């Protein structure tokens, strides 16, 4: 029987967006991953990985692991080859493992004609996070699967919802040239297990402000909402330049700024009122003053994962 092939793509993402830890994420077009999946008949499920710069063992690769979990649940027996072309840089807080997993699951859904809902695509994609960080969390993969700004409204069962955006903005991503070993796992371990009620209430207000601001198109509400007094504070050592950068870009009328996922990338929200050139100049200078060489990348809100080609 002829070999079947699909090629799927998924964009990078920024999770949390202030106080939305494990709840909010945004897909953006800064980077994307390409996953090619081929299949031949077999008496058992066999998965092989081809990749550069990421694990080739199926159980340690987020794309192949998520795909395997999906195929196992449906009892599919096939010889499957997964080629991962990484475009999203790993370890910088832009959903690298989530993009690979999202592309693999969306591609596998198409290849095997499973007809999965977006919630199920997210449910399987988040399994890929086990391979990369040891725990399944749905925020980055939800954005990469669905596109736009996505809220995870239930974990069991997994349910996600895209937030309507009525504010015209783009992003400037400040990306340090740094490698932090096992960064995602370490960053999640830094989050406090118990928090004061007053901090919880304050963060809930930030989260409400951000969501309402995006829906209403109110930049002041979005600026207020791009804050977090719990998770970002607990991870300060991973991005010591953040607070100064955030303070400075607002002076030049950025809408606001937040840590992208677990960092160390910082996402600055800008619009036509923002002094973009000064924001870039000041942001790079502040990173440098803390001993970090940074690049910047312009980005816009992106679509969800899609199949580019099927043979």
């Amino acid at each position: 029987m002829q070999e079947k092939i699909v090629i799927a793509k998924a964009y990078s993402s920024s999770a949390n967006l202030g106080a939305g830890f494990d709840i909010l994420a945004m897909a953006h077009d800064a980077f994307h991953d390409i996953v090619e999946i081929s299949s031949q008949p077999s008496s058992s499920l066999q998965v092989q990985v081809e990749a550069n710069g990421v694990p080739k063992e199926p159980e340690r690769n987020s794309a192949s692991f998520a795909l395997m979990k999906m195929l196992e649940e449906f009892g599919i027996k096939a010889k499957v080859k997964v080629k991962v072309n990484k475009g999203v840089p790993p370890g910088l807080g832009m959903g690298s493992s989530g993009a690979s997993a999202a592309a693999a699951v969306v591609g596998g859904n198409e290849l095997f004609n499973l007809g999965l809902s977006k919630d199920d695509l997210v449910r399987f994609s988040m399994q890929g996070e086990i391979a990369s960080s040891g725990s399944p969390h749905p925020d980055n993969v939800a954005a990469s699967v669905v596109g736009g700004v996505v809220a995870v409204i239930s974990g069991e069962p997994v349910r996600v919802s895209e937030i309507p955006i009525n504010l015209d903005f783009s992003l400037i991503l400040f990306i340090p040239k740094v490698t932090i070993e096992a960064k995602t796992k370490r960053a999640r371990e830094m989050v406090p297990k118990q928090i004061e009620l007053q901090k919880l209430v304050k963060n809930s207000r930030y989260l409400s402000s951000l969501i309402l601001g995006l829906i209403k198109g109110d930049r002041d509400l979005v600026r207020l909402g791009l804050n977090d007094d719990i998770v970002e504070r607990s991870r300060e050592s991973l991005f010591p330049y953040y607070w100064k950068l955030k303070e400075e870009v607002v002076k030049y009328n950025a809408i606001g700024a937040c840590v992208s996922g677990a960092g160390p990338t910082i996402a600055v929200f800008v619009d036509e009122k923002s002094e973009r050139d000064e924001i870039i100049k000041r942001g790079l200078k502040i990173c440098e003053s803390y001993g970090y060489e940074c690049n910047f990348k312009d980005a816009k809100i992106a679509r969800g994962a899609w199949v580019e080609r099927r043979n």
Side-chain angles (χ1 to χ4, degrees), residues 173-238:
L173 300 169
F174 289 93
I175 308 170
K177 294 182 179 180
V178 62
T179 300
I180 303 172
E181 190 70 27
K183 190 264 306 180
T184 301
K185 183 175 185 295
R186 177 182 168 190
R188 295 186 74 82
E189 290 172 349
M190 297 170 81
V191 177
K193 301 298 185 290
Q194 294 182 325
I195 55 174
E196 299 173 15
L197 179 60
Q198 287 182 329
K199 287 186 177 180
L200 174 61
V201 172
K202 193 173 184 180
N203 257 33
S204 297
R205 288 171 176 163
Y206 288 147
L207 181 58
S208 299
S209 179
L210 177 60
I211 294 173
L212 286 170
L214 292 172
I215 294 172
K216 295 174 68 175
D218 188 323
R219 106 194 278 272
D220 291 333
L221 283 177
V222 172
R223 174 177 285 181
L224 176 61
L226 289 170
N227 284 292
D228 172 26
D229 286 349
I230 299 173
V231 176
E232 286 184 348
R233 292 287 178 185
S234 71
R235 296 169 166 176
E236 285 184 89
S237 63
L238 298 179

